[in-house]
C-alpha cells in the first residue's frame, strides 16, 4: 500500500505505474473519493463536536424546562451524527478497497512489456548439457526409476497430484539438508524459521497477495487460507512492531509447506512436478531501513544467494529482469532465475527475487525509529532459496545418462549416500 499523501502529490507517477504494469485502475477516481472521504469525515467531526457541546450544556441548565429543551434539541443532532458517521464509514470502506489496488511504482530500470515475453535476459551461467541420445523428460525418468508415481498421485490427490518415493523422496530431503548446511556455513547472518502455511486473511492482505490473488489461494471452511510461500507468515511475524534499526537488516531463511491452486494454468504443465498444488519451499526474507540504495544492494545479495545454490548443484540457468507487465502489484523490481530443462529445450523458472520498498510494511505496520527518532516504515525483500519438488525436474533431466540412470550432483551425494540413481 502506498501513502495517500504520496499518491496525491504524484498522480502522474501512479498513472504511469498502472500503465507500465498493464493494470486496470482509475487513479482519478481514487483521488475524487479521497476528497469525498475527507469531506465526510469533516462533516462527521463537526456534527459530533456540536453534539458534545450540547451534551455538556445539559447538566449546566438552570432549570428543568431549559434542560428538557436541550435534551429535545439533542435528538435530531444525534441522528445527524449517526447519519454522518455511517456515510463516512461507507466512503472509507470504499476508499480502503481502492487503496489496496494501487500499484507500487516500478524502478526506472524495469523494462517495458505486457507479460513474461517482455522479460530481458541479464545473465547466463553454465552451458547446456550435451547428450549423445534423446533426453527423456523427468516423468519418464522418475517413474522408470521408481522415484515418483504420478498416476496414483492424481488418483489420491486429484489434478496435479504426485507421490515421491524411494530415491525421489531421498533426493528432495537431500536438497533440504543441502540448503540448510549451505546457509549455516556461508550465510551465518540468516536466521532459520519454520513458519505456518495456514494463515489469516490479514497476512495475505499485508503482503499484497490479496485481494488480487484470491483465485489462486486455497481457503478453509474457517475462512483461513493456505499460503503459497513462507514469505507471507515470515513478514507477518513482524506486523505491528517497532523494530530496532540497530538490528537491520533482518535476514531470515524460512521454510514451510506451500499450496497454490494454479488458477488460470489448467492447460499448462498438467503432468509432472513443475506446476503442482502442494510443495515445499525455502524462502529468503529481508527487512531493512527505508533506503532505496540499501534495498537495491540487498536485492542483488538475495539473487546471488540463490545463484550460489544452483551453481553448486551444477545447473545451467539464466537470470531475467521482469518487465512491467510481469510484476506483481507491490513489486518495485523482480528478477526470475530460470534453469534449463533439456526435454523442453528451454529455461523454466526456479526462483523469483523481489523488493517492495514500504509497500508490504505499510500494510503490515512494520516500523522502526531512524537516527533522528522518527518512526518510519521499513523496506522488505524476498527471494526463493529453493522450491521442491520443482527443482527435481531440472536435476533429473540435466543429470540423466544414456542407460536411464541419474548422476547425483556432487554436493548432494553426502546426503543421498550414493553417486548414481539406478534401477
Amino acid at each position: 500500500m502506498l501513502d495517500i499523501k504520496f499518491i496525491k502529490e504524484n498522480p502522474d507517477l501512479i498513472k504511469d505505474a498502472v500503465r507500465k504494469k498493464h493494470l486496470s485502475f482509475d487513479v482519478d477516481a481514487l483521488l475524487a473519493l479521497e476528497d469525498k472521504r475527507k469531506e465526510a469525515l469533516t462533516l462527521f467531526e463537526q456534527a459530533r463536536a456540536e453534539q458534545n457541546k450540547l451534551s455538556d450544556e445539559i447538566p449546566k441548565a438552570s432549570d428543568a424546562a431549559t434542560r428538557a429543551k436541550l435534551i429535545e434539541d439533542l435528538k435530531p443532532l444525534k441522528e445527524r451524527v449517526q447519519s454522518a458517521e455511517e456515510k463516512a464509514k461507507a466512503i472509507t470502506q470504499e476508499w480502503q478497497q481502492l487503496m489496496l489496488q494501487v500499484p507500487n511504482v516500478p524502478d526506472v530500470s524495469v523494462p517495458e512489456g505486457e507479460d513474461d515475453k517482455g522479460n530481458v535476459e541479464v545473465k547466463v551461467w553454465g552451458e547446456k548439457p550435451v547428450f549423445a541420445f534423446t533426453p527423456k523428460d523427468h516423468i519418464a525418468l522418475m517413474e522408470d526409476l521408481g522415484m515418483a508415481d504420478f498416476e496414483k498421485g492424481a488418483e489420491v490427490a486429484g489434478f496435479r497430484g504426485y507421490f515421491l518415493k524411494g530415491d525421489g523422496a531421498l533426493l528432495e530431503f537431500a536438497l533440504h539438508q543441502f540448503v540448510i548446511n549451505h546457509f549455516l556455513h556461508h550465510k551465518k547472518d540468516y536466521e532459520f524459521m519454520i513458519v505456518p502455511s495456514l494463515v489469516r486473511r490479514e497476512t495475505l492482505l499485508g503482503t499484497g497477495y490479496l485481494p488480487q490473488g484470491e483465485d489462486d489461494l486455497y481457503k478453509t471452511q474457517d475462512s483461513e487460507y493456505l499460503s503459497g510461500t513462507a514469505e507471507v507468515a515470515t513478514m507477518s511475524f513482524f506486523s505491528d512492531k517497532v523494530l530496532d534499526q540497530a538490528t537491520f537488516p533482518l535476514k531470515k531463511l524460512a521454510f514451510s509447506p506451500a499450496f497454490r491452486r494454479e488458477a488460470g494454468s489448467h492447460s499448462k504443465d498438467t503432468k509432472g512436478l513443475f506446476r503442482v498444488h502442494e510443495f515445499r519451499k525455502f524462502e529468503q526474507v529481508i527487512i531493512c531501513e527505508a533506503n532505496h540504495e540499501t534495498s537495491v544492494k540487498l536485492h542483488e545479495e538475495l539473487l546471488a544467494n540463490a545463484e550460489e545454490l544452483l551453481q553448486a548443484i551444477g545447473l545451467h540457468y539464466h537470470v531475467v529482469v521482469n518487465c512491467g507487465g510481469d510484476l506483481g502489484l507491490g513489486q518495485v523490481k523482480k528478477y526470475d532465475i530460470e534453469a534449463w530443462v533439456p526435454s523442453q529445450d528451454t529455461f523454466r523458472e526456479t526462483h523469483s527475487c523481489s523488493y517492495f520498498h514500504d509497500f508490504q510494511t505499510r500494510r503490515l505496520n512494520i516500523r522502526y525509529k531512524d537516527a533522528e527518532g522518527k518512526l518510519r516504515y521499513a523496506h522488505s525483500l524476498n527471494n526463493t532459496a529453493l522450491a521442491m519438488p520443482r527443482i527435481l525436474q531440472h536435476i533429473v533431466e540435466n543429470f540423466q545418462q544414456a542407460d536411464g540412470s541419474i548422476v547425483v550432483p556432487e554436493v548432494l551425494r553426502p546426503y543421498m549416500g550414493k553417486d548414481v540413481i539406478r534401477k
Side-chain angles (χ1 to χ4, degrees):
M1 179 181 290
L2 300 183
D3 185 353
I4 186 61
K5 181 181 177 183
F6 176 80
I7 298 170
K8 290 169 69 174
E9 292 175 351
N10 301 275
D12 291 339
L13 192 62
I14 307 303
K15 289 177 182 178
D16 194 57
V18 171
R19 178 200 62 78
K20 195 166 188 177
K21 290 191 173 185
H22 293 266
L23 300 173
S24 177
F25 182 78
D26 191 335
V27 179
D28 290 331
L30 170 64
L31 295 177
L33 191 62
E34 164 65 2
D35 290 339
K36 286 178 63 178
R37 184 183 73 94
K38 289 184 67 176
E39 181 184 359
L41 286 172
T42 299
L43 291 173
F44 165 62
E45 289 165 0
Q46 289 175 346
R48 186 169 58 179
E50 290 180 37
Q51 180 189 32
N52 292 338
K53 182 180 178 182
L54 193 57
S55 295
D56 289 342
E57 291 178 5
I58 292 173
K60 302 174 185 176
S62 57
D63 54 64
T66 303
R67 186 179 299 111
K69 176 67 167 57
L70 290 172
I71 292 173
E72 191 64 26
D73 291 344
L74 191 60
K75 289 179 181 179
L77 193 51
K78 281 183 177 180
E79 293 175 359
R80 196 172 117 212
V81 168
Q82 183 178 355
S83 175
E85 183 178 22
E86 289 173 355
K87 183 177 180 180
K89 281 184 177 180
I91 293 174
T92 298
Q93 287 175 352
E94 185 181 353
W95 175 85
Q96 288 171 336
Q97 290 302 311
L98 286 183
M99 285 291 290
L100 289 173
Q101 299 173 46
V102 180
N104 207 349
V105 179
D107 188 78
V108 293
S109 62
V110 170
E112 298 282 349
E114 293 185 17
D115 52 33
D116 58 5
K117 295 181 181 65
N119 296 344
V120 177
E121 183 180 85
V122 293
K123 181 178 182 179
V124 180
W125 187 89
E127 296 181 358
K128 299 176 187 177
V130 177
F131 301 98
F133 57 92
T134 301
K136 298 177 181 178
D137 66 26
H138 73 287
I139 299 172
L141 287 163
M142 295 182 77
E143 288 185 333
D144 189 50
L145 292 170
M147 298 174 69
D149 192 322
F150 298 101
E151 183 177 345
K152 197 66 179 179
E155 181 184 322
V156 171
F159 188 46
R160 303 187 193 277
Y162 64 94
F163 280 92
L164 293 180
K165 57 195 186 80
D167 286 327
L170 290 174
L171 184 58
E172 173 165 328
F173 279 113
L175 287 161
H176 289 205
Q177 293 172 285
F178 161 63
V179 172
I180 291 170
N181 283 340
H182 181 85
F183 271 79
L184 276 175
H185 294 141
H186 303 288
K187 313 292 175 186
K188 298 183 186 298
D189 50 348
Y190 283 77
E191 181 185 36
F192 288 91
M193 299 180 76
I194 297 177
V195 304
S197 48
L198 182 65
V199 297
R200 298 170 61 216
R201 181 177 179 83
E202 289 78 6
T203 65
L204 291 157
L205 282 167
T207 44
Y209 287 92
L210 287 177
Q212 285 78 10
E214 184 94 34
D215 289 344
D216 207 31
L217 292 165
Y218 286 104
K219 190 174 182 179
T220 74
Q221 64 268 38
D222 300 317
S223 298
E224 294 156 335
Y225 292 81
L226 295 174
S227 173
T229 171
E231 164 206 347
V232 174
T234 307
M235 283 297 300
S236 296
F237 179 81
F238 298 99
S239 62
D240 297 318
K241 289 185 178 181
V242 177
L243 304 173
D244 182 357
Q245 187 179 8
T247 65
F248 284 173
L250 294 172
K251 300 179 181 181
K252 308 296 177 182
L253 178 68
F255 176 83
S256 77
F259 303 85
R260 291 181 186 171
R261 293 183 60 228
E262 292 294 347
S265 301
H266 296 295
S267 62
K268 300 178 181 178
D269 305 297
T270 56
K271 296 180 180 179
L273 297 176
F274 186 77
R275 200 185 301 271
V276 294
H277 292 316
E278 180 179 0
F279 52 103
R280 278 73 52 193
K281 192 179 181 195
F282 286 95
E283 186 79 9
Q284 304 172 78
V285 176
I286 294 180
I287 295 176
C288 67
E289 63 180 299
N291 178 278
H292 175 71
E293 287 73 22
T294 300
S295 279
V296 170
K297 179 182 176 181
L298 291 170
H299 191 219
E300 298 297 326
E301 176 184 312
L302 289 175
L303 178 66
N305 290 346
E307 288 191 68
E308 284 178 18
L309 295 174
L310 292 183
Q311 290 174 13
I313 294 170
L315 290 173
H316 171 49
Y317 68 86
H318 74 169
V319 179
V320 299
V321 58
N322 295 61
C323 69
D326 200 29
L327 288 181
L329 188 74
Q331 292 161 338
V332 177
K333 186 176 180 179
K334 180 171 76 164
Y335 292 120
D336 279 348
I337 304 178
E338 301 173 338
W340 186 251
V341 180
S343 67
Q344 299 176 20
D345 195 36
T346 191
F347 292 105
R348 300 300 300 273
E349 181 190 331
T350 58
H351 296 72
S352 181
C353 182
S354 308
Y355 71 91
F356 299 83
H357 284 165
D358 63 358
F359 185 88
Q360 294 180 322
T361 57
R362 188 175 292 276
R363 289 178 175 219
L364 290 167
N365 194 32
I366 302 173
R367 298 175 295 167
Y368 70 97
K369 286 186 178 180
D370 64 15
E372 298 175 353
K374 181 182 178 182
L375 278 174
R376 303 189 65 184
Y377 290 100
H379 279 189
S380 67
L381 312 88
N382 64 67
N383 184 19
T384 317
L386 211 60
M388 284 74 63
R390 172 177 291 199
I391 196 69
L392 270 64
Q393 171 182 1
H394 299 86
I395 293 173
V396 167
E397 292 197 18
N398 280 278
F399 288 90
Q400 64 179 293
Q401 305 298 299
D403 63 358
S405 63
I406 299 163
V407 174
V408 177
E410 187 174 348
V411 292
L412 301 180
R413 292 174 189 173
Y415 313 114
M416 283 291 293
K418 61 177 66 178
D419 296 351
V420 181
I421 297 172
R422 61 175 90 249
K423 287 185 179 179

